[in-house]
Amino acid sequence: MTIEQIIVIAVVQGITEFLPISSSGHLVLVPYLFHWPDQGQFVDVMVHVGTLFAILIYFWRDVWKLIVGALDLFRGKVTQDGKLAIYILLATIPAVAFGLFLKKFGFGDLERSVTIVAWNTVIYGILMLIADMMGRQEKTIENMTLKSAMIIGVAQALALIPGTSRSGVTMTAARFLNYTRPDAARFSFLLGIPAIAGAAC
């Protein structure tokens, strides 16, 4: 890889990770459009680690509350932050299971298909529009339940296929569940922390 390719990939990742468009899908499209060799999944994961640090820095207050809440659970004290921490960990399981399924049954080629990226970008864009039009803005992250978290977690698992935006599909699920736009986005990025960290590991 050339330094130019690395810079372009890093910039594309930095822009697309925080928009409801697939950063992984765009990382597949970059070498296709510029006629570069595919950088591979390892590079994709590493640039995701960069955005993970950005998420941790931006949401450090929320992350700190989740850590304190989780520690309180070990002391026998149940708080809203503690429950949210558990919900996030449990909601990460579907993505882990789906990732293992893709790896076990050899769907690597499917994951880097430009055709799959294109179709998923269109389909999930339409779904997000419908969810935002239909979903009522009446629930906040304080109203999060285990059922809602798991539904959003299942949606997140689909984002392992490029063209499916992780933030986009989780926010879409949250909007269908009537969470407000800001809280749908907030939960989406908090949910992404263990998912991205797990992929890096």
Side-chain angles (χ1 to χ4, degrees):
M1 288 180 65
T2 64
I3 188 64
E4 292 82 4
Q5 186 175 357
I6 293 173
I7 291 172
V8 170
I9 288 170
V11 169
V12 168
Q13 168 66 20
I15 294 172
T16 57
E17 177 64 28
F18 301 103
L19 297 173
I21 55 178
S22 174
S23 60
S24 297
H26 283 77
L27 293 179
V28 171
L29 291 176
V30 167
Y32 178 80
L33 294 175
F34 286 93
H35 304 290
W36 290 336
D38 191 298
Q39 69 274 3
Q41 289 182 328
F42 180 77
V43 173
D44 289 1
V45 170
M46 289 302 100
V47 291
H48 273 81
V49 171
T51 51
L52 171 62
F53 284 120
I55 293 171
L56 290 172
I57 291 169
Y58 187 83
F59 288 102
W60 73 269
R61 291 183 180 85
D62 296 88
V63 172
W64 178 249
K65 288 179 182 178
L66 292 173
I67 293 172
V68 172
L71 292 175
D72 283 338
L73 289 175
F74 286 107
R75 302 186 188 103
K77 181 181 178 183
V78 179
T79 64
Q80 181 62 35
D81 292 323
K83 288 193 291 185
L84 187 60
I86 293 297
Y87 294 164
I88 288 173
L89 289 176
L90 292 176
T92 304
I93 294 174
V96 174
F98 190 49
L100 292 174
F101 170 83
L102 291 176
K103 183 176 181 180
K104 181 176 178 62
F105 292 97
F107 286 104
D109 293 338
L110 174 66
E111 292 182 38
R112 304 195 74 77
S113 165
V114 172
T115 303
I116 295 295
V117 168
W119 276 108
N120 281 339
T121 299
V122 173
I123 291 169
Y124 287 106
I126 293 172
L127 279 176
M128 188 174 199
L129 175 63
I130 294 171
D132 198 52
M133 292 173 64
M134 293 179 58
R136 299 183 300 277
Q137 297 206 58
E138 59 184 24
K139 294 181 182 178
T140 66
I141 201 168
E142 284 71 27
N143 305 124
M144 185 62 62
T145 63
L146 178 58
K147 180 181 177 180
S148 294
M150 292 306 295
I151 291 172
I152 298 170
V154 170
Q156 177 176 248
L158 298 174
L160 291 173
I161 302 176
T164 307
S165 166
R166 193 205 62 78
S167 60
V169 74
T170 51
M171 283 190 277
T172 296
R175 291 293 292 123
F176 270 125
L177 294 170
N178 301 317
Y179 285 87
T180 65
R181 290 170 184 164
D183 285 272
R186 182 179 163 204
F187 185 76
S188 170
F189 284 112
L190 291 175
L191 180 61
I193 292 173
I196 299 171
C201 291

